[in-house]
Amino acid sequence: MGVGIAAKIRSTGGHGSTPDSVRDALRLAISSGELAPGLQLRQDELAERFGTSRIPVREALRQLEAEGFVTFLPNRGAVVSDMSIDEVIELLEIRIALECHALRLAIPAMSEIDLDEARKLLSSYDKAPDPEQWGTFNWRFHKMLYAPCNSPRLLAMIDANYGHVSRFTRALVSRATGKERPQREHYQLLEFSRDGEVEKAVRLLRDHIVQTQKTLRSAQRHALRGTEG
């Protein structure tokens, strides 16, 4: 576990950390890719970094196992879960179902304030030069679009699903697609939302996520050709 991770965990944890705070810090580190798939998560080391006993750490790891972020292996204990490309593609199918439903509910409830804040975020996204930031801006925009749906459980499911997907797609897709096309589609989504064009917006959102699936498949084919060479 790197120094940056240790510092983040210490700042989130501290003495008397609860299972929830340990879980949330670890989930964030896994979702961002800072804790790589296959990395062993030693309970004694985590307990020391959080300044707590092993009991909250063990409970947090069990919760993360239930969410799919952690796998318990014989003779190794807890490790960060890995996924095949097919599993990531399946999660993107789930993302389409959840987010299209959220957008359909959100558009009729959007206010001018919601729309203006989303446009300001896209403007900041335009100015971001670092591909490492693009994934963060992209997801903040999508969350802004869905927030007015006023369905906390649906939004929590969207967040959890994206947490799994993003650690395998964020850097790869941002570099492969750039930001010109995604941003063009983001602005169009915003205009459809402003005009109350629900079905057009939902159709565009679906195509937007399908493009991520195509990019991943393409990257997989290129990687396989590279190993054959």
Side-chain angles (χ1 to χ4, degrees):
M1 198 175 305
V3 175
I5 293 296
K8 183 174 291 186
I9 288 177
R10 280 197 298 269
S11 68
T12 310
H15 182 69
S17 295
T18 66
D20 287 350
S21 65
V22 177
R23 179 202 61 207
D24 292 346
L26 288 174
R27 187 198 290 124
L28 176 62
I30 293 170
S31 297
S32 68
E34 294 181 74
L35 294 180
L39 180 70
Q40 189 172 6
L41 301 170
R42 300 182 184 277
Q43 293 184 27
D44 52 352
E45 179 183 343
L46 290 172
E48 181 180 352
R49 295 186 186 281
F50 276 99
T52 190
S53 70
R54 292 177 60 177
I55 295 173
V57 172
R58 186 181 305 117
E59 175 59 26
L61 291 174
R62 287 299 180 187
Q63 291 179 27
L64 290 170
E65 179 189 29
E67 295 176 9
F69 287 96
V70 166
T71 302
F72 280 85
L73 300 177
N75 303 318
R76 288 198 68 197
V79 300
V80 177
S81 298
D82 201 356
M83 287 186 190
S84 68
I85 189 72
D86 288 333
E87 288 173 314
V88 178
I89 294 294
E90 183 180 8
L91 286 175
L92 286 167
E93 288 293 335
I94 295 170
R95 184 181 169 195
I96 289 170
L98 293 175
E99 295 181 29
C100 286
H101 182 53
L103 184 61
R104 184 175 279 111
L105 295 176
I107 288 176
M110 287 181 184
S111 69
E112 286 300 318
I113 294 175
D114 295 322
L115 295 163
D116 289 345
E117 287 300 310
R119 179 168 286 279
K120 287 177 185 176
L121 180 64
L122 289 182
S123 180
S124 297
Y125 188 176
D126 283 334
K127 298 169 187 174
D130 184 1
E132 295 294 330
Q133 297 178 304
W134 298 349
T136 300
F137 275 112
N138 177 75
W139 186 234
R140 285 176 61 196
F141 171 72
H142 280 269
K143 287 186 70 172
M144 277 189 175
L145 283 187
Y146 311 144
C149 79
N150 194 31
S151 181
R153 290 187 180 181
L154 175 59
L155 293 174
M157 292 171 68
I158 288 171
D159 260 338
N161 184 68
Y162 185 76
H164 289 295
V165 171
S166 66
R167 60 193 174 112
F168 295 97
T169 64
R170 180 179 295 182
L172 173 63
V173 173
S174 291
R175 286 188 170 87
T177 63
K179 66 177 178 179
E180 182 178 347
R181 175 175 176 165
Q183 273 292 76
R184 184 170 65 249
E185 293 176 352
H186 289 155
Y187 278 111
Q188 186 63 69
L189 271 173
L190 194 58
E191 288 309 304
F192 284 152
S193 298
R194 188 181 294 276
D195 294 341
E197 297 279 6
V198 175
E199 294 309 317
K200 288 183 180 179
V202 168
R203 194 178 308 119
L204 176 57
L205 176 61
R206 182 186 183 282
D207 292 344
H208 187 73
I209 301 173
V210 165
Q211 185 60 40
T212 300
Q213 292 177 311
K214 292 178 180 178
T215 300
L216 286 175
R217 287 296 191 194
S218 176
Q220 181 190 38
R221 289 194 298 271
H222 284 287
L224 289 173
R225 281 202 292 268
T227 57
E228 292 169 358

